[in-house]
């Protein structure tokens, strides 16, 4: 009995991924912008290592748990791009991390800045500002108030950051990139007015990457998805089909009702579906096909005149790579040699 | 440093869950219908054990991997309610399981029936038919053709099954339950016409449970969600607030932009949002509040005039319990004693 993976499982096309990593690294270097890739996309040491080897200045994570996993694996420059609310327990974990790595975290309010300063004296922070996604982060013009409170509380204010999530829009990418640059500029002005000089202005997302580089304001960008891409980037027009570096291998398990049913359900692909997505996932080798119905272990496909046979295997491009990866324990690396190498999703499920 | 769980984490209200399990067990017994709960909802040995203790005839799973986990834990009557496409590897796993437990699997086509018969001689099967969800399963009137092929191939045809997934509709539950009963009746007729007498007619889902019991056709029901419930059942009108037995504990991490942001994002709650859902999740203690924006680690809440303070903890009811549970390694069982007991999500991620 072979011990290889069984459908549904995720395969990384390593040559494509390395091309994605290299292309973005080169573009960032040409623009004089540092790259700090967000590793929540892949949660995988092997991929983050390649990003550092291509010149990344450090990594970005979303949670303290992700930071712990990557520091355990020797990563020594980590930014937690999240407005942490620190309790005693989290404070102790941050102090432990700060002893082992160059650590910075996000902060977006006076109250959390004061708590952080008390719990983790001297910690580096970046003030989060809202550039238009309207999630966390305050108005850029108030960044100085937060920065001054952080400095007064004994934190090392490194700069400001924003996530232009509203750039996930087929016609809004360029304007979101402009919003991103404007927010970082306004944050910097606000901080300087309070006597805090920002050393880092950090932006970036995969859809606004090009705009962010052009804008010439950000000193650092934090894209995540670009290394692997997904059906969202494909449908946004950000990634071309030959830049899609991750697929879920799925088996056609049923055509009993004249429908073409795959075993790659929502527990393998994730259920994300943005308004601009044309389905719950795409088929890499059949651009006309769409997953029109998704349940936990079933994906119903339409739009293909000549489906593969029952038992046939297809390559599904997940809508959102970050959630698909977080459902798996292993990514199977395809180096083009015919063998698949298991890469652990080392930080899977590290939500806190 | 305390070793308890940190937000976001899932808590099971054990007394509520036990009341849900008991109420449904009693209703099934009164109706003379066997209950075979779907354990994909919780993937948890402690919960499945309580379901058996309350009188369930066995358990339902979605994958061979889930079956292996539960058989490893001593469960001896397992139905894989899925149209498996068996290759050599899966055939060997099924043979091994059939030696250790009373096993049955789904089949919905002649070709897969013939393969199953060759790979796992004598295996018990139920023919899947489509009662209106239009996913897997063929027309009920063709069940006899599949059953006859299965019998000819040396399988033990136990009966027919269907999943009335189209009953997840605020105004379609009763008609879906009628469809379910009609499909099982038609499948039975079709099988009898081919000389195969069905011993089991298996239906059921949490929303159609009552209708299924009333219909008097199904001999067995396979609801899963009823034990814990979720915001979908709440908004469908299937579960009342005091029957909601699982919540995700979340911390208010930001109000920098005047928004109330929780740390229970899509990587903790899942991104499922049905057309009838009013948001990406509900707050148990604040019925007016809605999660209006969900990203991986942020849930933006609106609709509450007097939000808790920064750092406050709230109880979020996930939209779809089955996907939320599959994101966690541990459920924290609240017995009402003030201590939380860790229950492993033993079959998490077992997709194949």
């Amino acid at each position: 009995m072979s011990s290889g993976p069984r459908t549904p499982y995720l395969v990384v096309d390593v040559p494509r991924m390395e091309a994605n990593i290299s292309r973005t690294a080169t573009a960032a270097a040409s623009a004089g912008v540092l790259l700090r890739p967000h590793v929540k996309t892949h949660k995988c040491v092997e991929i983050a290592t390649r990003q550092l080897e291509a010149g990344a200045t450090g990594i970005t994570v979303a949670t303290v748990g992700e930071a712990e996993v990557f520091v355990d694996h020797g990563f020594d420059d980590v930014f937690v791009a999240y407005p942490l609310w620190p309790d005693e327990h989290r404070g102790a974990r941050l102090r432990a991390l700060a002893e082992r790595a160059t650590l910075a975290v996000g902060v977006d309010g006076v109250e959390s800045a004061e708590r952080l300063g008390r719990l983790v004296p001297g910690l580096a922070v970046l003030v989060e500002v809202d550039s238009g996604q309207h999630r966390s982060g305050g108005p850029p013009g108030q960044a100085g108030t937060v920065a001054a409170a952080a400095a007064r509380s004994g934190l090392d204010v490194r700069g400001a950051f924003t996530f232009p999530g509203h750039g996930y829009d087929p016609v809004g990418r360029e304007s979101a990139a402009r919003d991103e640059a404007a927010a970082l500029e306004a944050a910097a002005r606000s901080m300087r007015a309070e006597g805090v000089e920002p050393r880092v202005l950090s932006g970036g997302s995969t859809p606004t990457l090009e705009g962010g580089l052009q804008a010439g304001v950000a000193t650092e960008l934090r894209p995540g998805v670009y290394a692997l891409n997904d059906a969202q980037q494909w449908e946004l027009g950000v990634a071309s089909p030959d830049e899609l570096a991750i697929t879920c291998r799925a088996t056609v398990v049923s055509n009993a009702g004249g429908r073409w049913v795959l075993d790659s359900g929502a527990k393998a692909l994730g259920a994300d579906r943005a308004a601009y997505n044309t389905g719950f996932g795409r088929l890499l080798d059949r651009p006309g096909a769409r997953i029109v119905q998704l349940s936990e272990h079933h994906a119903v496909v339409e739009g293909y005149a000549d489906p593969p046979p029952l038992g046939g295997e297809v390559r599904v491009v997940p809508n959102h790579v970050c959630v698909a990866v977080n459902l798996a324990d292993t990514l199977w690396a395809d180096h083009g040699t015919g063998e698949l190498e298991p890469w652990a999703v080392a930080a899977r499920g590290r939500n806190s």
Side-chain angles (χ1 to χ4, degrees), chain A residues 46-90:
Chain A
E46 288 82 353
I47 300 178
T49 299
R50 282 165 170 78
Q51 291 173 312
L52 283 193
E53 286 168 356
T57 188
I59 61 171
T60 303
V61 299
T63 68
V64 177
E66 284 182 346
E68 288 166 340
V69 168
F70 280 90
V71 170
D72 283 349
H73 282 89
F75 290 78
D76 62 2
D77 188 342
V78 179
F79 171 42
V80 185
Y82 193 81
L84 295 177
W85 181 261
D87 57 12
E88 293 290 336
H89 182 264
R90 192 162 273 135

Side-chain angles (χ1 to χ4, degrees), chain A residues 24-224:
Chain A
T24 297
T26 302
S30 311
V33 174
L34 296 174
L35 209 58
R36 183 182 287 279
H38 208 313
V39 301
K40 73 178 167 66
T41 294
H42 51 70
K43 293 174 174 273
C44 176
V45 168
E46 288 82 353
I47 300 178
T49 299
R50 282 165 170 78
Q51 291 173 312
L52 283 193
E53 286 168 356
T57 188
I59 61 171
T60 303
V61 299
T63 68
V64 177
E66 284 182 346
E68 288 166 340
V69 168
F70 280 90
V71 170
D72 283 349
H73 282 89
F75 290 78
D76 62 2
D77 188 342
V78 179
F79 171 42
V80 185
Y82 193 81
L84 295 177
W85 181 261
D87 57 12
E88 293 290 336
H89 182 264
R90 192 162 273 135
R93 291 165 68 196
L94 290 170
R95 287 193 300 275
L97 280 171
E99 284 174 12
R100 301 164 62 205
T102 301
L103 181 73
V105 310
V107 64
D108 74 353
V110 169
E111 204 177 335
S112 50
E114 290 172 347
R115 286 182 69 94
L116 263 182
R118 197 163 57 243
L119 288 163
V120 199
L123 182 66
V125 296
L126 282 84
V127 177
E128 182 173 11
V129 297
D130 177 20
S131 52
Q133 186 183 20
H134 306 322
R135 194 173 67 176
S136 50
Q142 293 174 18
T145 306
V146 180
R152 268 198 316 274
S153 305
L155 297 168
D156 168 26
V157 182
R158 189 186 281 179
F161 79 106
T162 191
F163 177 67
H166 59 313
Y168 276 75
D169 183 313
V171 296
R173 289 162 45 204
E174 286 185 25
S175 64
R178 284 193 296 271
D179 292 344
E180 177 188 346
L184 291 174
E185 267 186 327
R189 272 196 307 275
S190 171
M191 291 169 75
R192 288 187 189 113
E194 297 291 335
V196 180
E197 180 62 32
R199 310 191 296 276
V200 174
L201 294 175
S202 176
S205 69
T206 296
T208 63
L209 199 53
E210 203 180 331
L213 289 170
Q214 290 165 337
V217 174
T219 64
E220 170 187 290
L221 296 173
R222 308 183 317 278

